[in-house]
Amino acid sequence: MKKSYLIESIMFLAGGVIFMAAALLTDTVLDSLFVGFASGAVCAGIANFCRYFYWKAPRNAERYRERLEAEKIEMHDELKVKLRDRSGRYAYALGLGAVSVSIVIFSILGQMEVIGNSRLIVLYLGGYLVFQIVVGHVIYRHMLKKY
Amino acid sequence: MKNRVEELRKELGMNQEEFAKAIRVSRQTVSSIENGKYNPSLDLAFVIADFFGKTIEEIFIHERSIENEKELSD
């Protein structure tokens, strides 16, 4: 197993400790958020740490090699790549639809005074919608240029 | 597009898993190709043809080409 996984684990643990220290040593409204970040980072670090030593053990070397090989095949398998691309396209289209519907719903809720600050939410969603469409278009044109 | 992948694989006495490993694709891809649900890319078609020591045309049969040949012979 690559040494970078061990370094990654140590970095996660260090990040967790830093966030925990920030939460304990300061007294701000962000404390609970810092504790959340710290817990997440420490758990991820410990999990990676255990995984590293488990797969690094000589008795697991062969199984690890097979696993890597299988992962590589899965990653580059052309049918799965094609299906991943297609599912991404559907998710993109559904995402645009969901954001558009949300804009309408938040506008109505705002007008009916069911929620406050609806203008901010609608503006944010509108911006996000435009961003998605523009980025999709730009990436498409960029990729087309390569052919 | 029809193909002879299953027939040729069985001739070699391999199962789908072994064949998939040999040509470095997933078992699902092999299964989909054999069922005619998925047409492989030209790259993969060459890999398969090389594996069996045959040409692409000997393995993958384009139905429209067969129809065209029939029309020409009629």
Side-chain angles (χ1 to χ4, degrees), chain B residues 9-54:
Chain B
R9 171 177 65 76
K10 284 181 176 168
E11 272 176 21
L12 291 179
M14 296 175 94
N15 61 32
Q16 285 186 342
E17 192 79 49
E18 290 164 341
F19 178 57
K21 227 175 194 176
I23 60 169
R24 299 181 61 79
V25 296
S26 69
R27 195 200 54 77
Q28 290 97 321
T29 299
V30 170
S31 168
S32 302
I33 291 170
E34 289 185 356
N35 292 332
K37 285 182 186 167
Y38 175 66
N39 292 326
S41 67
L42 194 55
D43 259 357
L44 183 54
F46 269 113
V47 170
I48 294 170
D50 281 348
F51 182 81
F52 290 124
K54 295 192 180 296

Side-chain angles (χ1 to χ4, degrees), chain A residues 45-66:
Chain A
I46 290 171
N48 280 352
F49 208 68
C50 295
R51 200 178 303 142
Y52 175 79
F53 284 105
Y54 176 79
W55 288 117
K56 205 181 180 315
R59 65 188 149 86
N60 295 324
E62 182 59 24
R63 268 200 317 135
Y64 182 64
R65 199 191 56 74
E66 280 173 13

Side-chain angles (χ1 to χ4, degrees), chain B residues 1-5 7 39 55-67 69:
Chain B
M1 188 155 53
K2 287 181 181 172
N3 67 72
R4 297 173 54 213
V5 174
E7 173 198 333
N39 292 326
T55 61
I56 289 179
E57 293 89 337
E58 285 175 296
I59 301 173
F60 296 96
I61 303 121
H62 197 243
E63 280 151 347
R64 215 172 296 155
S65 307
I66 296 170
E67 282 167 21
E69 270 178 32

